[in-house]
Amino acid sequence: MLTKPMDGANHSAVSEFVFLGLTDSWEIQFLLFAVSSTFYVASMMGNSLIILTVTSDPHLHSPMYFLLANLSFIDLGVSSVTSPKMIYDLFRKHKVISFRGCITQIFFIHVIGGVEMVLLIAMAFDRYVAICKPLHYLTIMSPRMCIFFLVAAWMTGLTHSMVQLAFVVKLPFCGPNVLDSFYCDLPRFIKLACTDTHQLEFMVTANSGFISVGSFFILIISYIIIIFTVQKYSSDGLSKALSTLSAHITVVVLFFGPLIFIYVWPSPSTHLDKFLAMFDAVLTPFLNAIIYTFRNQEMKVAMRRVCGQLVNCRKIS
C-alpha cells in the first residue's frame, strides 16, 4: 500500500510490506504448517517448563540454572517474534506486514539475538569456573555476578538493536515493498529503500557479522581453554568435561551457524537463507530445550517432580 507523503514530494511512501513467503506449493505449505506448528508449541511448552522448574525447585537455585532459565526465556522470544506470523501467513495469498510492524520485528530480532549471545558467553564462563576453579565457584559466580551478566546481556541487545535501527528507520521507501522472505529481514529491508544503500548495507552487515563472529570465537576459545586446562591436570576429568561441554557447544553451533551464514556469507542463496532463518526461529529454541534437559539428570528429575506436583494440584482442584 502506498500513501502520499506529508511534504508533498513527488513520490509515495510505503506503509506496508509484502512477503513472498517460503513456497507457492500447497503441499509443501501444509507440511511446513504441520512441522512449524508442532515445533513452535513444543518449544513454548518445553522452555516454559524449564523456567517453571528452575524457579520452583530449590535444588536448582544455582548460577548455572539461573542462566539456563534466562536462556529459555529468550528462546520463548525467539520462537514468538517471527514464527506465529509465518505460520499464520502460510495459507494466506496476500502476506503483508505494516511498516511499524516490520520495524518492531527487526527491533526484537536484534534485541533477542544480542541478549542470547551474551547469555551464551556467560554460560561458557560459568562452566569454565565450575570446571577449572571449582573451589572458588560460588565466590566468583555470586548472585551479583549473575545479575551483572543479565544486565549486560540486555544492555548489549538493546544497544545493538538501537544502533541497527538508527541506520534504517529514517530511510525513504517510495515504491518497492516486496520482501522475498517470511519476516522482516534487515539486509533485504534496506535494499528496498529509494536511495543508494551500499554503504549502509555494509555497515549493518558488518555490525551484526562482527558481533556474531566475535562472540562465536570467544566461545570456541573459552571451550578450548577449558579442555586444555582439564587435560593438563586429569585425563579422567577430560571425558567428564567434554560430556558437560558437548551440550553447550551444540547449542552454540545451532545458534551461530545460521547467523554467521546470513550476515557474513557474501551472497547467500535465497532458499538456503529462508531455510536457515526458519531453522533458527522454529527448531533452535526447541532443540535448546531438549539438549539442556535430556543431557542433565538433575534437570530431568526436577521436571518430573514439578510435573507430578502440577498433576496433583489439578486432581485436588
Side-chain angles (χ1 to χ4, degrees):
M1 184 182 291
L2 304 175
T3 57
K4 288 272 182 116
M6 296 295 291
D7 59 4
N10 190 25
H11 63 268
S12 298
V14 173
S15 63
E16 66 181 24
F17 294 94
V18 179
F19 293 141
L20 292 185
L22 293 163
T23 178
D24 293 326
S25 167
W26 279 94
E27 292 81 5
I28 297 176
Q29 283 180 345
F30 181 79
L31 177 63
L32 289 173
F33 175 80
V35 172
S36 300
S37 301
T38 301
F39 279 111
Y40 173 69
V41 172
S43 172
M44 296 298 286
M45 291 178 65
N47 284 295
S48 297
L49 182 58
I50 288 174
I51 295 170
L52 179 62
T53 303
V54 172
T55 53
S56 63
D57 195 319
H59 298 92
L60 302 182
H61 290 175
S62 67
M64 183 180 77
Y65 292 111
F66 172 81
L67 294 172
L68 176 58
N70 279 280
L71 181 68
S72 292
F73 177 76
I74 288 299
D75 279 337
L76 290 176
V78 173
S79 298
S80 301
V81 170
T82 57
S83 297
K85 172 72 175 166
M86 178 197 73
I87 293 168
Y88 175 69
D89 280 344
L90 276 172
F91 295 113
R92 293 183 72 204
K93 194 169 184 180
H94 196 51
K95 305 171 177 65
V96 297
I97 188 171
S98 68
F99 183 87
R100 286 186 178 181
C102 197
I103 293 293
T104 302
Q105 201 174 64
I106 291 170
F107 172 76
F108 281 109
I109 286 170
H110 286 272
V111 168
I112 289 167
V115 173
E116 184 153 356
M117 285 182 198
V118 178
L119 282 178
L120 289 172
I121 292 172
M123 293 174 79
F125 179 77
D126 172 79
R127 290 302 83 202
Y128 167 77
V129 176
I131 294 171
C132 300
K133 300 179 183 292
L135 297 178
H136 303 285
Y137 178 70
L138 291 178
T139 304
I140 297 172
M141 292 302 297
S142 62
R144 181 178 291 183
M145 179 62 79
C146 292
I147 297 299
F148 168 77
F149 276 129
L150 187 59
V151 171
W154 281 100
M155 290 301 294
T156 301
L158 287 167
T159 302
H160 167 64
S161 187
M162 293 300 291
V163 168
Q164 296 287 70
L165 285 182
F167 290 138
V168 303
V169 74
K170 294 295 183 181
L171 284 175
F173 293 91
C174 55
N177 68 334
V178 177
L179 285 164
D180 189 7
S181 185
F182 62 89
Y183 72 106
C184 283
D185 177 27
L186 190 54
R188 289 193 175 90
F189 176 80
I190 292 172
K191 288 178 181 177
L192 296 180
C194 301
T195 185
D196 182 15
T197 60
H198 286 89
Q199 283 188 329
L200 187 57
E201 286 176 49
F202 174 77
M203 288 172 65
V204 168
T205 303
N207 185 358
S208 294
F210 176 76
I211 291 174
S212 300
V213 174
S215 300
F216 180 72
F217 277 112
I218 288 171
L219 287 163
I220 295 301
I221 290 169
S222 69
Y223 294 138
I224 292 172
I225 290 171
I226 293 172
I227 292 168
F228 274 103
T229 303
V230 173
Q231 188 181 32
K232 191 187 297 183
Y233 293 105
S234 169
S235 57
D236 294 334
L238 181 61
S239 60
K240 187 177 180 182
L242 287 172
S243 176
T244 303
L245 293 177
S246 60
H248 293 269
I249 295 170
T250 304
V251 168
V252 165
V253 171
L254 286 173
F255 176 73
F256 283 99
L259 284 183
I260 290 173
F261 184 92
I262 291 169
Y263 288 104
V264 179
W265 199 267
S267 54
S269 161
T270 302
H271 296 296
L272 185 56
D273 197 16
K274 288 181 183 180
F275 169 76
L276 289 173
M278 182 180 171
F279 182 91
D280 205 33
V282 178
L283 287 175
T284 299
F286 168 76
L287 292 174
N288 285 355
I290 294 295
I291 290 166
Y292 280 121
T293 301
F294 283 90
R295 291 193 63 86
N296 189 318
Q297 188 63 32
E298 193 175 15
M299 177 62 79
K300 285 192 284 187
V301 171
M303 280 186 163
R304 290 194 198 101
R305 195 181 300 126
V306 169
C307 289
Q309 289 172 352
L310 291 173
V311 170
N312 291 334
C313 288
R314 192 168 182 181
K315 285 179 180 178
I316 292 170
S317 60

